[in-house]
Amino acid sequence: MKTLTIIGGNGFFGRSIIDYSIKNSLYKWKINKIICISRKKIKKEFLPKNLLKTKIVSISADIRSMKNLPKSDYFIYAANSKNMNLNIKGINNFKKLILKEPKKVKILFTSSGAVYGKTKPGIKIKENHSIQLKNLNALKGYKKNYSKTKILIEKIFLQLSKKKYNVSIARCFTFIGKHILEKKDYAISNFISNAIKNKKIIIKSKVNVYRSFMYSDDLVEWLLAILMKSTSKCPIYNVGSDEYLSLNKTALIVSKIFKAKIISNISKNEDVSYLPSIDKAKKNLGLKIKIKLRKAIFLSIKNLNRNYP
């Protein structure tokens, strides 16, 4: 059996993998142990020992200053900070440490669809889409720095592949699940948070925005499948759903669940989209979306462990 180490294990990706492992065995991937490394240890209430099907170890450590990595067969690098310099220090130290590991290990980097920059509305972006600086510069503030950081880290993983390490890159788009809804910086989180509190659902965007939402359980299965296919050629896959809706229609789904009213501020005809093409993952890895958006919203709300209609 194998051990998986997640760098940034207390974030959305790490917690989603833990949630999945509580409900499902990871034996399909021959994984019986997960090591989560993050600056803050995962709280014990997130690790109900009587329910765990996989042994989970939480380690409090900072990847920027670690001297050694735990012995593992698989690594997922999912560490992320809002500070670009901290991210670069982290990945540089990880590279230094991973070069001490045998080349048979498999390593996945959770990159982002943001590396494609600003794209034309309605276009599903493919992995071979040209990454151009002008598209990144069209982004603003944190999004611009975030996308540029992801590109820099991708280049480091490509360097590892040239040294014959088995690596892969998952360009992740938009997701839904319990741990996304716990955050307040996503539109769908705010929709559901307001509805739970019997408040009106407010669409703050002034333009039509289209998003696709992949459920966290599907996300985990895709990440693990891509990880297993890591090679020295560094395959790159988009990860997300190809089922997409406007914010208006997404808000309507939530409003029907809670019987909440909607206030929309959309006043422009311009459409903004952030949509992946996932044909490559479907064709090469046999992956598919198992949980459709409406069901994903229901499951995400249910898993918040709150009372709702």
Side-chain angles (χ1 to χ4, degrees), residues 170-210:
R171 288 179 177 160
C172 302
F173 280 72
T174 315
F175 306 98
I176 186 169
K178 177 174 69 174
H179 299 298
I180 284 289
L181 300 188
E182 289 168 351
K183 299 183 178 183
K184 303 304 177 190
D185 48 353
Y186 298 100
I188 195 163
S189 304
N190 287 320
F191 293 169
I192 294 172
S193 177
N194 282 6
I196 287 173
K197 297 173 184 176
N198 295 318
K199 294 181 178 180
K200 294 178 181 177
I201 296 171
I202 301 174
I203 303 174
K204 297 179 181 179
S205 175
K206 293 184 179 180
V207 298
N208 286 322
V209 177
Y210 287 81

Side-chain angles (χ1 to χ4, degrees), residues 207-225:
V207 298
N208 286 322
V209 177
Y210 287 81
R211 290 286 185 270
S212 61
F213 297 95
M214 175 185 255
Y215 187 57
S216 54
D217 283 359
D218 279 339
L219 164 67
V220 173
E221 293 194 3
W222 280 50
L223 291 181
L224 292 178

Side-chain angles (χ1 to χ4, degrees), residues 116-132:
Y116 298 114
K118 192 172 183 179
T119 56
K120 293 181 180 180
I123 300 296
K124 290 186 179 181
I125 312 165
K126 295 183 178 182
E127 290 85 349
N128 61 1
H129 182 91
S130 176
I131 295 176
Q132 299 180 11

Side-chain angles (χ1 to χ4, degrees), residues 156-300:
I156 289 174
F157 272 77
L158 289 169
Q159 290 170 8
L160 287 172
S161 74
K162 290 179 180 179
K163 293 182 181 293
K164 302 302 179 182
Y165 277 86
N166 297 314
V167 298
S168 56
I169 294 171
R171 288 179 177 160
C172 302
F173 280 72
T174 315
F175 306 98
I176 186 169
K178 177 174 69 174
H179 299 298
I180 284 289
L181 300 188
E182 289 168 351
K183 299 183 178 183
K184 303 304 177 190
D185 48 353
Y186 298 100
I188 195 163
S189 304
N190 287 320
F191 293 169
I192 294 172
S193 177
N194 282 6
I196 287 173
K197 297 173 184 176
N198 295 318
K199 294 181 178 180
K200 294 178 181 177
I201 296 171
I202 301 174
I203 303 174
K204 297 179 181 179
S205 175
K206 293 184 179 180
V207 298
N208 286 322
V209 177
Y210 287 81
R211 290 286 185 270
S212 61
F213 297 95
M214 175 185 255
Y215 187 57
S216 54
D217 283 359
D218 279 339
L219 164 67
V220 173
E221 293 194 3
W222 280 50
L223 291 181
L224 292 178
I226 294 169
L227 172 63
M228 297 303 142
K229 294 298 183 180
S230 298
T231 70
S232 59
K233 293 182 179 180
C234 190
I236 298 174
Y237 291 97
N238 287 337
V239 176
S241 173
D242 55 0
E243 178 193 11
Y244 63 92
L245 293 174
S246 67
L247 282 184
N248 265 334
K249 289 187 177 179
T250 305
L252 185 61
I253 292 173
V254 178
S255 73
K256 286 183 177 179
I257 295 172
F258 293 94
K259 299 179 181 179
K261 292 184 178 180
I262 301 173
I263 296 177
S264 175
N265 291 305
I266 294 175
S267 58
K268 297 181 181 179
N269 292 323
E270 177 188 1
D271 289 338
V272 178
S273 60
Y274 180 58
L275 310 172
S277 166
I278 54 175
D279 292 342
K280 182 179 177 181
K282 286 181 174 181
K283 180 179 178 181
N284 293 1
L285 304 178
L287 293 170
K288 60 182 180 180
I289 303 299
K290 295 181 179 178
I291 302 173
K292 298 296 184 181
L293 179 56
R294 286 169 176 79
K295 184 177 179 181
I297 292 175
F298 275 107
L299 290 173
S300 300

